[in-house]
Amino acid sequence: MKVALFVPCYVDQFYPQVGVASLQLLEKLGVKADFPMQQTCCGQPMANSGCERDAVPVYQHFVKTFRDYDYVVAPAGSCVYHVRKHFDIIDQTTEVQHVRTNTLELVDFITTVLGVTEIPGSFPHKVGLHLSCHGQRGLHQANESEITPVRDGQLRRLLSSLQGIELTELDRNDECCGFGGTFCVAEEAVSARMGQDRVQDHVRNGTQVLTGGDMSCLMHLEGIVRRRQLGIKVMHAAELLNGNPV
Amino acid sequence: MNHSHPELAEQFVKDAERTTWHDETLWFVRQKRDRSIYAIPEFQELRELASQIKNHTLSRLHTYLTQFEEAARANGVQVHWAANAEEHNAIVLNILRKHGAERIVKSKSMLTEECHLNPYLLQHGIQVVDTDLGERIIQFRNEPPSHVVLPAIHLKKEDVGETFHLHLGTLKGEKDPQTLTEAARLHLRTKFVSGQVAISGVNFAVAETGSVVVCTNEGNADLGVTLAKVHIACMGIEKLIPRLTDLGVFTRLLARSATGQPVTTYTSHYTKPGPGKEMHIVIVDNGRTKQLGRPDFRASLKCIRCGACMNTCPVYRRSGGHSYDFTIPGPIGAILSPNIDMHKHKSLPFASTLCGSCTDVCPVKIDIHTQLYKWRQVIGENNELPASKKWSMKLLSRVLSSPGVYGWGGKVARESLRLLPHGFTHAKALNPWAKAREMPAPPKQSFREWYEQQNSNGKA
């Protein structure tokens, strides 16, 4: 099985430890992933801003970079969702279809492709899980509260297997954090308010470590946590599952 | 006047306490909706069925409209067709003139709001009284509705007390909902009795029977229609359903999705005029066929106006309905509005994080967030984006399609963030992100730099 790691642009630049944890975690699970050096971005920033056409060269670059792999794995549900859903505007060659179908979010890959249900290790902390919308609703990685009261999902299950972990029960299980790509600056006032409310739900319910499967949401929430100097640590789920210390 | 959502939203969010209250009130409605739909095991099948009925109807709209018109005429109803808002208003005025009517009562109709019927009739010397409590409150205040089901949801009881003190003479500072409602009730009774013509909206129009169905919780449509000599029902062409047996699917979905009720208190069927009375139906297009002709946005016409997408939308809850500056606010309004005026409403498809909650909550399965994404592209293609955004995205594309430029650019950005003073990198005027958030702490090495180093050390 030939697997490539896709490290989204902002993770590469600002959260290299998330890329490292993803690589190490995969290795622990018996998968040696490559990191093709020419990779850049999935093109979502342009497309979400209404400039889909400008993103076409980036889409093509993405496909060219990853076409020879069986799977492309990324620690970011939103970017994966973008590749799978929105690469529909370029010519649907076999390789484009191959890359779209086989680009998977890290936890999704671990759960569905590797068939892993438990991760050995312990994390004796109170952990608040931020369900990122594109992973949850877009890639169906967790139940939607609009449809069922059952709170279940791939990441919740994997995290629960860690010894000593206690998952926070939030008042609003799956409300959006307000990041939304360029929304975070174009609609700065509402975006910030949404993030503050999201963080407050975690504070109210005793979260010590805030985690999730999408670093972009976490980057926004971390920005608020640090501005307000709240005693919450923000970590990507790959770091928890890899056994990184708090 | 400024119509941009970010600016209007920023105004709203400034009042943090009111924003909290607005958010919590609508979230409470969303929770009521959740509880009531969780109790129906077949709810998802109902959604699917409703969606298919609507898809089917829209695919044969001409046939069903014709069938509806014929059935309604056979029932003794006078049917009128209006291509746009102006024609709609003129038709209504014409009927009123024919009867010499000076006072009309109206039961909540978003279509007449869309057509700006009230100001038009006032201009022509006709007194219009909205009889839905929420509608009446905002009518006193000369404001548009801020929600399709809860038109005065942006107001607190203190605001209503103040409004009623001014217009109905209730005691200053009165904020007891019971007392205020009683005052409105007494006031509205006199209006019902003196109303010469009743105008109502239409929730569903049944092609098979030619009848229209109106759902209310206050019974105000019935009071108005029963007491007046003439009933004018105003409907958009998309309100049709094929058969009476289809109605149950929609009434089960509508009230649950809107407020969490099993069914609205009143579900009134109007089929023919009473003895000695007249009934008119005005069927309005006003941009709907244009939307029907846009394959990407056609599904927006399935909307049954339950307002669930507004209640669930985290952006709507924190920015208020007026920030959309359109008759139908919220996620669905952001799809409908660019169809009417793309230039004016160009910011609305961007007033969303594309979280998809609207799509999951929609009782007729409109892919709302997908359509918002598509509108963004149409707006971009039509050169309606701010120049700064347009050019920065072109530049970003150049950077991101070249690994070398990207690597170098990232390094420069990280280094600048590390070396420049915090006050500069976080200056609110330069960096909107930093108004309420810290920038990520820049690491010394990017992931690719780390990976390269590992490789050269022979480790990876």
Side-chain angles (χ1 to χ4, degrees):
Chain A
M1 184 164 59
K2 229 179 135 199
V3 178
L5 182 68
F6 168 52
V7 178
C9 46
Y10 66 98
V11 177
D12 176 36
Q13 294 299 325
F14 292 116
Y15 301 96
Q17 76 277 13
V18 175
V20 176
S22 305
L23 203 62
Q24 291 173 345
L25 176 63
L26 286 172
E27 217 160 282
K28 282 178 193 167
L29 298 170
V31 175
K32 181 139 177 36
D34 287 348
F35 176 79
M37 288 298 284
Q38 70 272 29
Q39 64 176 275
T40 54
C41 166
C42 67
Q44 184 171 203
M46 286 81 83
N48 270 17
S49 308
C51 302
E52 204 173 48
R53 275 208 195 154
D54 292 327
V56 167
V58 184
Y59 294 176
Q60 270 148 358
H61 180 72
F62 188 96
V63 172
K64 212 168 89 186
T65 305
F66 294 110
R67 65 188 167 195
D68 294 328
Y69 289 92
D70 297 324
Y71 292 102
V72 185
V73 179
S78 188
C79 309
V80 170
Y81 173 74
H82 189 72
V83 171
R84 294 177 74 104
K85 168 109 180 165
H86 294 305
F87 276 30
D88 57 345
I89 62 157
I90 53 174
D91 194 15
Q92 294 301 295
T93 59
T94 322
E95 58 187 33
V96 168
Q97 288 179 9
H98 170 77
V99 169
R100 286 180 71 189
T101 320
N102 294 294
T103 297
L104 271 80
E105 191 274 332
L106 177 68
V107 173
D108 195 10
F109 177 78
I110 292 172
T111 311
T112 55
V113 178
L114 302 183
V116 170
T117 52
E118 286 182 8
I119 300 276
S122 80
F123 200 80
H125 303 279
K126 185 140 186 196
V127 173
L129 172 57
H130 177 69
L131 275 180
S132 292
C133 308
H134 284 174
Q136 181 205 12
R137 297 200 182 84
L139 301 171
H140 308 292
Q141 288 183 271
N143 291 325
E144 303 94 333
S145 64
E146 295 83 9
I147 296 182
T148 169
V150 181
R151 294 182 175 191
D152 188 24
Q154 295 174 337
L155 183 52
R156 182 175 282 268
R157 265 176 273 152
L158 274 192
L159 286 175
S160 304
S161 73
L162 294 172
Q163 275 180 3
I165 197 168
E166 191 193 340
L167 289 174
T168 311
E169 279 301 320
L170 294 170
D171 297 339
R172 299 183 187 181
N173 186 47
D174 54 4
E175 172 136 307
C176 174
C177 68
F179 172 66
T182 45
F183 179 86
C184 74
V185 289
E187 290 260 6
E188 179 276 328
V190 178
S191 171
R193 176 63 206 239
M194 285 169 68
Q196 286 156 0
D197 289 350
R198 215 62 207 108
V199 167
Q200 204 48 44
D201 198 346
H202 284 278
V203 170
R204 209 165 37 240
N205 290 290
T207 293
Q208 294 167 335
V209 178
L210 173 53
T211 194
D214 209 316
M215 202 59 227
S216 51
C217 312
L218 296 177
M219 173 168 73
H220 162 69
L221 294 172
E222 187 203 33
I224 286 161
V225 166
R226 284 178 47 217
R227 171 62 57 90
R228 302 204 150 186
Q229 299 182 319
L230 303 165
I232 291 181
K233 174 88 178 176
V234 180
M235 293 171 83
H236 189 277
E239 297 177 80
L240 269 65
L241 297 171
N242 188 46
N244 289 14
V246 174
Chain B
M1 187 188 161
N2 175 31
H3 304 293
S4 133
H5 186 270
E7 284 165 294
L8 295 172
E10 193 177 355
Q11 290 303 315
F12 189 84
V13 171
K14 267 188 189 145
D15 189 341
E17 211 179 310
R18 188 176 281 268
T19 305
T20 303
W21 175 82
H22 192 261
D23 168 54
E24 285 174 354
T25 307
L26 288 161
W27 184 252
F28 175 72
V29 182
R30 160 72 212 271
Q31 285 178 308
K32 271 176 68 188
R33 172 260 173 213
D34 289 349
R35 279 194 295 275
S36 81
I37 74 114
Y38 294 159
I40 307 286
E42 72 276 22
F43 195 79
Q44 298 308 321
E45 282 79 31
L46 268 180
R47 280 178 82 211
E48 181 57 34
L49 183 57
S51 168
Q52 287 183 17
I53 295 171
K54 279 286 181 184
N55 282 339
H56 165 85
T57 314
L58 288 174
S59 74
R60 290 161 177 76
L61 198 54
H62 170 78
T63 312
Y64 285 120
L65 280 168
T66 312
Q67 190 191 358
F68 175 76
E69 181 186 23
E70 280 168 12
R73 285 197 203 281
N75 295 332
V77 176
Q78 299 177 45
V79 180
H80 313 260
W81 296 87
N84 51 39
E86 293 72 39
E87 284 189 25
H88 163 266
N89 292 349
I91 289 166
V92 172
L93 180 65
N94 206 20
I95 301 168
L96 299 179
R97 287 258 164 91
K98 211 175 77 190
H99 290 274
E102 287 164 353
R103 294 176 308 277
I104 63 154
V105 287
K106 191 153 73 69
S107 165
K108 210 182 110 186
S109 151
M110 292 309 288
L111 177 68
T112 57
E113 279 292 332
E114 176 187 319
C115 296
H116 305 291
L117 179 67
N118 284 16
Y120 174 84
L121 291 182
L122 284 172
Q123 260 175 31
H124 290 86
I126 290 163
Q127 189 198 73
V128 189
V129 175
D130 277 313
T131 58
D132 171 272
L133 178 58
E135 283 279 321
R136 188 64 182 142
I137 294 166
I138 58 168
Q139 194 182 22
F140 280 140
R141 297 171 63 96
N142 209 12
E143 285 176 6
S146 70
H147 188 288
V148 293
V149 174
L150 313 158
I153 196 67
H154 58 291
L155 299 172
K156 294 186 176 186
K157 55 183 190 257
E158 291 79 6
D159 304 322
V160 177
E162 186 60 32
T163 306
F164 281 12
H165 171 65
L166 282 174
H167 295 273
L168 296 180
T170 51
L171 290 174
K172 189 156 180 63
E174 181 62 66
K175 57 180 184 182
D176 173 49
Q178 180 113 28
T179 311
L180 293 173
T181 310
E182 191 55 32
R185 189 180 160 90
L186 287 173
H187 158 75
L188 283 171
R189 291 284 147 143
T190 64
K191 299 295 176 187
F192 280 124
V193 172
S194 64
Q196 298 156 307
V197 173
I199 297 181
S200 78
V202 170
N203 286 95
F204 304 101
V206 185
E208 176 188 49
T209 61
S211 44
V212 295
V213 179
V214 182
C215 304
T216 71
N217 276 324
E218 297 166 22
N220 49 318
D222 296 305
L223 274 170
V225 172
T226 312
L227 289 167
K229 283 199 67 164
V230 181
H231 173 200
I232 308 172
C234 302
M235 59 175 268
I237 55 171
E238 82 286 12
K239 294 289 175 183
L240 276 178
I241 54 171
R243 304 162 304 183
L244 194 56
T245 49
D246 301 320
L247 183 66
V249 174
F250 293 97
T251 49
R252 290 185 80 192
L253 289 167
L254 178 67
R256 283 188 174 84
S257 300
T259 55
Q261 294 167 270
V263 72
T264 44
T265 315
Y266 300 88
T267 302
S268 311
H269 296 238
Y270 301 106
T271 305
K272 56 176 77 167
K277 293 189 177 186
E278 264 183 36
M279 181 173 164
H280 298 259
I281 297 177
V282 189
I283 304 174
V284 184
D285 181 345
N286 206 34
R288 286 162 178 75
T289 48
K290 195 169 138 203
Q291 190 84 324
L292 193 66
R294 301 182 194 262
D296 285 343
F297 307 110
R298 177 178 298 153
S300 61
L301 294 174
K302 287 153 73 180
C303 177
I304 58 171
R305 305 288 191 266
C306 67
C309 63
M310 295 157 207
N311 303 339
T312 206
C313 179
V315 176
Y316 174 91
R317 275 189 264 116
R318 289 171 184 83
S319 60
H322 288 158
S323 66
Y324 293 81
D325 193 22
F326 183 65
T327 314
I328 313 285
I332 186 69
I335 304 175
L336 298 172
S337 57
N339 177 57
I340 307 275
D341 186 342
M342 193 193 303
H343 180 69
K344 181 182 170 190
H345 302 295
K346 62 190 174 207
S347 71
L348 294 189
F350 295 92
S352 165
T353 59
L354 305 180
C355 76
S357 182
C358 48
T359 300
D360 280 339
V361 90
C362 178
V364 290
K365 288 194 160 182
I366 302 170
D367 54 338
I368 301 177
H369 74 295
T370 312
Q371 293 188 42
L372 289 171
Y373 177 87
K374 286 186 174 154
W375 264 124
R376 292 182 183 189
Q377 313 312 329
V378 177
I379 286 162
E381 293 291 307
N382 282 276
N383 234 349
E384 293 282 4
L385 290 177
S388 59
K389 190 183 232 177
K390 185 177 146 190
W391 292 107
S392 61
M393 289 304 146
K394 283 199 187 300
L395 178 69
L396 190 62
S397 169
R398 294 289 287 274
V399 173
L400 293 172
S401 44
S402 157
V405 179
Y406 158 76
W408 175 80
K411 199 173 169 61
V412 170
R414 255 185 303 121
E415 287 299 308
S416 322
L417 193 53
R418 223 150 60 88
L419 298 173
L420 291 170
H422 184 273
F424 180 77
T425 57
H426 287 68
K428 289 176 184 180
L430 297 173
N431 183 359
W433 170 278
K435 281 188 192 170
R437 292 161 287 214
E438 285 297 299
M439 294 290 288
K444 284 194 178 150
Q445 261 183 337
S446 68
F447 175 79
R448 70 187 51 231
E449 285 163 4
W450 171 87
Y451 189 82
E452 229 172 3
Q453 202 178 43
Q454 295 291 303
N455 263 340
S456 63
N457 292 347
K459 281 183 190 166

